[in-house]
Amino acid sequence: MARPRIDRHILTAHAAVVSLAILIACVTSSCNSQSFQQSSGPSMPALPPVPPQAPPPPMNVARLLNGNWMATYPGGPLRVAIGLDPMLRGRNYVATMIDGNKTLPAGQVVWRGTVDQNVPGIVRAKQICADNGLPLARQVPVRIVVSDASHFREELVNPGDCHGFPVNYTRIGPAPTSPVKD
């Protein structure tokens, strides 16, 4: 009797199918293992906490003087307009009389000052003193002490340089919440 002949191509195809099945079984079982499962913990380390930021420094109220004011100069109260000096950089104020009195006419600059960079709420200024009339007027040093955005007081640095001081200012209208840009 003759031996049955086994086709090699069939055996090779059968071996390939079995090998493929084993490979699929291995991959499937590997994907189901613990190492391929999503962990409950974070995959990236947590960022360190951000240190608390210091609050910004408080607004220097001496930077809020722009606007219209009522001042207690002799013969007053008198209206005064305060603005920034367009010829100088920085916070340089010019105070101009809107109403005049017997010694200072309307439109007269009454003081010029600069915000003190070291002391909040202070403006260093030069005030016109016209005790003996405008032709004999002189400049005297004054200190502007700002209590809030709607009130300040003008004091002589050297008491007795001029009469009628201190002068109190009260804002006409609402106070600004931020300074006009320099």
Side-chain angles (χ1 to χ4, degrees), residues 69-89:
W69 298 83
M70 290 298 281
T72 61
Y73 285 112
L78 303 172
R79 292 179 299 160
V80 177
I82 300 176
L84 294 178
D85 189 337
M87 301 302 286
L88 299 173
R89 297 185 77 172

Side-chain angles (χ1 to χ4, degrees), residues 29-43:
S29 67
S30 295
C31 289
N32 289 334
S33 72
Q34 279 296 95
S35 62
F36 280 99
Q37 299 300 317
Q38 185 171 356
S39 66
S40 60
S43 60

Side-chain angles (χ1 to χ4, degrees), residues 61 64-65 69 146-152 169-176:
V61 292
L64 302 174
L65 295 185
W69 298 83
V146 184
S147 55
D148 60 47
S150 295
H151 302 91
F152 70 87
Y169 282 71
T170 304
R171 185 180 294 279
I172 300 171

